[in-house]
Amino acid sequence: MQQSNAHRLQVVLPGDALPVYEHKLKLGPGLIQDEDQIIAVKGGVLKHQPAGNKYWVESNQRRYVAATGDPIIGVITQKGGEFFRVDIGAAHSAVLSYYAFENATKRYRPNHDVGTLIYARISQANKDMEPELECVNPATGRADGYGELKGGQVAKCSLGLARRLLETETPILKDLGDHIPFETAIGLNGRIWINADTTKNTIVVINAIKDSEKYPESQSRQVVSNHLSKW
């Protein structure tokens, strides 16, 4: 694939073959590699992220499909002998090993209760198996923000909005940060977590982020102003 703006606007359908002209690239949701071709497995707009040279298909699908490398927000639903079972909003729950945390050992294992909110990374995704999660950055071996999300509130958003918030320079987060200090975690499974200094500000941030999807980025400051004026 050649890096160009045209690819960002290219519409693909399931089964479309896209020739590969470079070797070092990453494939996101909606694409698989078959020998010397990239094959689209779902319909949508072909997107490209220069950082990491990543390609994916963005569509309006409602249910999240796990993809290796995706950061997600999940809820622990079950504790087993060696793992947690986690709801990630997909067709199947995911598995999170007790040892997939920073500094975890047989003697020291994380003790999270059912209902705990977790920010994790999809370490392995296969259509024939449950997705596997990890709460460490594989490049550093450290948590680097992954792990339990304490306080704050979690809300659902479209999968397209989640990806734009995480992988592009969307102004809404910066414009909100100019008025309200807050922490955020964004899951590509269509969940966002916000922790501001007050419940009111947390709600303002969540509502403004979700509302921003309806407007062009040039109106980001106006969206923020509208939501601030309601309180």
Side-chain angles (χ1 to χ4, degrees):
M1 288 181 187
Q2 295 176 327
Q3 182 175 322
S4 68
N5 290 331
H7 278 121
R8 298 175 188 173
L9 301 176
Q10 181 178 346
V11 176
V12 297
L13 298 174
D16 282 355
L18 307 167
V20 178
Y21 298 116
E22 51 193 271
H23 298 288
K24 294 184 179 180
L25 56 86
K26 294 181 180 179
L27 300 182
L31 297 173
I32 61 172
Q33 185 161 0
D34 181 15
E35 296 182 352
D36 62 345
Q37 290 184 318
I38 299 297
I39 305 296
V41 295
K42 70 178 183 181
V45 178
L46 183 66
K47 294 286 188 175
H48 175 247
Q49 178 188 350
N53 198 22
K54 183 175 182 178
Y55 291 85
W56 72 94
V57 176
E58 186 170 294
S59 65
N60 290 325
Q61 68 185 60
R62 295 188 177 183
R63 171 163 282 182
Y64 172 68
V65 177
T68 301
D70 280 1
I72 60 90
I73 295 175
V75 180
I76 293 177
T77 58
Q78 183 180 340
K79 299 170 66 174
E82 297 290 334
F83 61 86
F84 300 103
R85 196 170 297 279
V86 183
D87 169 27
I88 61 172
H92 303 285
S93 59
V95 174
L96 174 61
S97 169
Y98 288 160
Y99 307 114
F101 292 81
E102 182 180 2
N103 298 325
T105 64
K106 289 186 177 181
R107 175 173 292 185
Y108 169 74
R109 302 195 306 182
N111 184 25
H112 297 303
D113 295 325
V114 171
T116 298
L117 201 63
I118 292 288
Y119 192 47
R121 175 184 178 274
I122 304 284
S123 60
Q124 184 173 340
N126 186 305
K127 65 178 182 178
D128 300 318
M129 300 173 59
E130 291 179 308
E132 295 182 12
L133 306 177
E134 60 186 358
C135 285
V136 293
N137 182 338
T140 64
R142 298 183 177 277
D144 290 345
Y146 292 116
E148 181 180 359
L149 296 175
K150 299 180 180 179
Q153 294 186 30
V154 66
K156 294 181 180 180
C157 69
S158 72
L159 301 183
L161 176 59
R163 188 168 293 279
R164 287 194 293 276
L165 290 171
L166 192 63
E167 297 193 348
T168 61
E169 294 293 333
T170 53
I172 188 66
L173 297 179
K174 179 183 181 302
D175 291 340
L176 280 165
D178 291 340
H179 300 275
I180 301 173
F182 64 92
E183 298 176 282
T184 183
I186 300 166
L188 289 180
N189 56 334
R191 294 173 179 173
I192 54 176
W193 173 81
I194 300 296
N195 187 23
D197 54 346
T198 66
T199 300
K200 181 197 78 171
N201 283 342
T202 297
I203 294 173
V204 169
V205 172
I206 289 175
N207 288 342
I209 290 174
K210 294 174 68 174
D211 196 35
S212 69
E213 187 173 21
K214 305 174 186 176
Y215 302 92
E217 292 185 351
S218 60
Q219 296 184 24
S220 174
R221 291 185 180 181
Q222 185 60 49
V223 171
V224 173
S225 177
N226 290 344
H227 283 273
L228 289 174
S229 67
K230 294 179 182 179
W231 293 83

